[in-house]
Amino acid sequence: MPGTVLLLAAAPAGKGCLVDAASVLPVLAAVPPAVLSGTDTANVVELADPLEPQAVLTRLRAAAGAPGPLTVFVTGQLQLDRRQRLPHLALARTTPSTVRYTGLPWHWLKEELRLRPPGSTTLFADLHADAETWEWLAANRLDSGHNNAVYGRVAPPAARRAVAVPTYMRAVATILRSGWRPPVEQLHQQALARIAEEGPGIVLTAARQPAVPPAPVTRPDPHAAITAAVQAGRHPDADSLAAGHERAAVQAHGAGSEQALHWAEVRADLAMLAGDPVRSCRAWMLVALARLSAGQPVDAPAVEAAVDRAHHQWGQIRDAEEARRTGPALADLRTRVPGRRQGALDHVRRQLRQLQTQS
């Protein structure tokens, strides 16, 4: 099965830039796609110094939805938003005061990769941190999801103001230009050896990601079974499996528990994968309302993500009557949860007005 490769290099323009992220793209682009992916053939998507987080999210979502192995190469710098102190990948327009709206929240990347089959996703990262983010990383891990293999490093702030070179990713690309891709752990170690004199900073490996207790041998991974059903086109079966786990989680932990909400989110994603944006939109709205009812703030990442996904799915509804029927509830929810996308509430209201004029 063909692989997919996403090359993402991002850094702020101007004096806020810590690393010349885009300088590594020509080196990576010189590597044959099959070598980048580790598959016989591969499709490559390249994003150089993107401006808008939503545009990156759209490309990331498309790559994550592609069948076959996915390899993501991310080069750039991390910054914390001042309100929630969550890490973001800084984009071209990002400044310390606007990172919440102009940067790509790191948890967006994790969310988009969440439903991919275990073992099918590899992330290479060469990231540079400012002083504030470096301090945050001393007490927090950069979570990329338990299903994903993660390799790379986070470099500390430079002793003096200078634009750094992404040496780890350059080392990876140089090794791959030989035309042979070693096993990813070996590739990672070889790249670290080439930059050993710099000091590794914080090394990212699959083992550093938050561990999930292994399932008993006699109980198969429910996510793997659901993924297999989706890949086989058995969407009702996939939803039925997820619904059973959701009911069990509600009975064991309560309707507002993270366990139950996780399965509600899985079902919302499954509706999207089945090509049913109406059901997906309504499911995401219910998730958002459940989180709000549980006392989560309107700017909590999980709440904002649920509303953003509901909004996106509403935009995919082609039946005008269904869109008219669902739109007011989304507008009410957008009033409570405006999210990071500027003008999102106005967009819903404008679309609703247009729908009212359609017969």
Side-chain angles (χ1 to χ4, degrees):
M1 186 174 292
T4 300
V5 177
L6 177 62
L7 307 178
L8 171 57
K15 63 181 181 180
C17 181
L18 300 179
V19 58
D20 185 6
S23 67
V24 77
L25 287 178
V27 190
L28 284 169
V31 179
V35 178
L36 286 173
S37 178
T39 56
D40 291 337
T41 60
N43 300 311
V44 178
V45 179
E46 181 178 309
L47 291 174
D49 286 327
L51 299 177
E52 300 292 343
Q54 289 293 334
V56 179
L57 178 62
T58 298
R59 295 293 187 89
L60 176 62
R61 182 169 291 159
L70 171 65
T71 307
V72 181
F73 296 85
V74 179
T75 307
Q77 68 188 64
L78 292 175
Q79 292 181 216
L80 298 182
D81 74 280
R82 292 177 173 175
R83 185 170 184 177
Q84 294 180 298
R85 295 186 59 77
L86 293 175
H88 291 60
L89 184 69
L91 302 183
R93 294 175 177 168
T94 299
T95 66
S97 61
T98 66
V99 62
R100 174 173 166 80
Y101 301 101
T102 61
L104 179 77
W106 189 260
H107 62 266
W108 283 13
L109 186 146
K110 174 188 172 182
E111 284 293 310
E112 292 306 318
L113 302 181
R114 177 168 56 89
L115 268 187
R116 287 189 53 79
S120 68
T121 308
T122 303
L123 172 66
F124 287 98
D126 188 342
L127 303 168
H128 290 245
D130 59 15
E132 185 180 26
T133 308
W134 186 254
E135 182 179 350
W136 182 89
L137 287 168
N140 300 273
R141 288 178 175 175
L142 198 63
D143 186 3
S144 301
H146 69 273
N147 281 343
N148 309 319
V150 180
Y151 299 95
R153 65 101 181 239
V154 182
R160 58 187 181 186
R161 175 61 96 182
V163 177
V165 175
T167 52
Y168 171 83
M169 196 65 78
R170 277 182 172 271
V172 169
T174 301
I175 295 167
L176 293 176
R177 284 187 68 178
S178 68
W180 178 69
R181 184 190 193 194
V184 288
E185 175 65 34
Q186 182 180 337
L187 173 60
H188 169 65
Q189 293 300 332
Q190 289 178 2
L192 288 179
R194 293 192 177 206
I195 62 170
E197 62 182 22
E198 300 181 14
I202 296 175
V203 175
L204 304 175
T205 67
R208 286 184 60 85
Q209 303 313 301
V212 173
V217 176
T218 56
R219 295 173 59 190
D221 179 2
H223 297 88
I226 290 169
T227 299
V230 170
Q231 292 179 333
R234 296 184 287 106
H235 297 287
D237 291 345
D239 183 68
S240 179
L241 285 169
H245 289 290
E246 182 182 13
R247 287 192 296 270
V250 170
Q251 292 174 359
H253 306 284
S257 66
E258 280 299 322
Q259 293 89 338
L261 289 172
H262 166 76
W263 287 109
E265 290 177 344
V266 169
R267 295 188 70 194
D269 273 334
L270 290 174
M272 179 268 294
L273 293 172
D276 189 344
V278 175
R279 183 158 56 92
S280 183
C281 174
R282 291 174 179 171
W284 278 117
M285 286 195 293
L286 289 174
V287 168
L289 291 170
R291 290 190 178 279
L292 291 170
S293 298
Q296 296 185 23
V298 295
D299 60 355
V303 174
E304 287 185 338
V307 179
D308 286 345
R309 291 170 191 274
H311 191 157
H312 175 77
Q313 287 299 296
W314 183 66
Q316 303 303 306
I317 299 174
R318 296 294 173 255
D319 185 311
E321 182 58 35
E322 288 287 1
R324 279 194 293 268
R325 192 176 297 126
T326 308
L330 177 62
D332 289 344
L333 191 55
R334 267 297 183 208
T335 303
R336 299 175 63 183
V337 186
R340 298 162 184 257
R341 180 180 170 187
Q342 295 182 347
L345 176 58
D346 290 339
H347 174 265
V348 176
R349 289 172 171 168
R350 186 167 59 252
Q351 291 298 107
L352 273 175
R353 286 194 297 269
Q354 292 179 2
L355 287 167
Q356 298 302 329
T357 64
Q358 299 179 17
S359 58

